[in-house]
Structure formats: C-alpha cells, structure tokens
Amino acid sequence: MRQWRVPATVPAVKLVGAALLVALGLLFADGDPVRLVVAVLAAATLAGWAVRDLVAPVRLAVDPAGLTVIHGFAGHRLLQWSTVQAIAVDRRARMGLTSDTLEIDAGDSLHLFGRYDLGATPEEVAAELRAARRDPTG
C-alpha cells in the first residue's frame, strides 16, 4: 500500500498562523471587541484546519483493491478500481502563479488533492496511480 499525506510542516505553519492572528487581534483591537472576535474566529478556523491535518494526515492511499480517499473531516472512503472513471491533473494559471490539482473522478464523486495534501506533486501521484491501476498485483 502506498500513501500520500500532509507534510508535517503544514499543520505547524497553520497553528503558528492561528497564534499570530490572535496576537494581531489583541494588538490591534484597540478596545473594539469586534476586531478581537473576528481575529479569534479566523484563528479558530485555521486551528481547526490544522487539527484535521494532525488527526487525518493521510489524504490518499492506493492498494490492489482501489483508492482510499479522505472523506468528511477525518474519515476515509474506499473507491474500488471499478468506480474510478478518471485520474487527471488540472493545471491552472492565475495572477502569474500555476497550481496543479489531482482530480479523481469516481462517477458520483470528484476528489481533489493539491500538493500540500499529498506531500508530492500531483503529476507524480497521478503517474503512480495510473501505474497501480494497470498493475493490480502491486
């Protein structure tokens, strides 16, 4: 079984960012509770996102039976090879930056993964998934 996971640095950066948001909220609140509440809510959202990365770091796994993908906040779902219709990489350029997204089309669901979900480039992962699909013995 091959797995792709969130790099350990990603949740750490998110947690540091959440702490910085609270600190900036306290620094710039200037007696206005709304500013502080907004900063704390943004920090809580970012911290929740980091907790998901810590609780369920594995976003995608492949084995002879199919693909296991993240489902919901921290659950996983097995996609049998027979349900996987397409494995593709979508490349988009915006404001001078290019982003790649791995797309797994399972008919009734579409699963999207970026570089920071996988800890590898979507092109590399797509190539491995296609190879695993052709060679189910592993």
Side-chain angles (χ1 to χ4, degrees), residues 57-80:
V58 175
R59 294 292 196 255
L60 177 64
V62 62
D63 62 26
L67 303 173
T68 303
V69 296
I70 189 89
H71 183 72
F73 184 77
H76 290 90
R77 176 180 172 199
L78 176 64
L79 302 174
Q80 299 288 333

Side-chain angles (χ1 to χ4, degrees), residues 100-115:
D100 295 336
T101 304
L102 174 66
E103 296 180 353
I104 299 171
D105 184 355
D108 64 341
S109 60
L110 181 64
H111 304 274
L112 306 172
F113 302 94
R115 178 182 190 91

Side-chain angles (χ1 to χ4, degrees), residues 46-134:
L46 192 56
W49 194 16
V51 167
R52 180 182 187 223
D53 292 346
L54 294 170
V55 171
V58 175
R59 294 292 196 255
L60 177 64
V62 62
D63 62 26
L67 303 173
T68 303
V69 296
I70 189 89
H71 183 72
F73 184 77
H76 290 90
R77 176 180 172 199
L78 176 64
L79 302 174
Q80 299 288 333
W81 281 121
S82 61
T83 65
V84 177
Q85 295 178 357
I87 298 168
V89 176
D90 181 43
R91 175 167 281 174
R92 304 223 175 192
R94 290 188 200 134
M95 296 185 283
L97 298 174
T98 302
S99 67
D100 295 336
T101 304
L102 174 66
E103 296 180 353
I104 299 171
D105 184 355
D108 64 341
S109 60
L110 181 64
H111 304 274
L112 306 172
F113 302 94
R115 178 182 190 91
Y116 296 110
D117 290 317
L118 302 169
T121 66
E123 292 89 2
E124 294 169 351
V125 177
E128 285 191 54
L129 294 180
R130 289 182 193 118
R133 186 176 195 177
R134 283 190 301 271

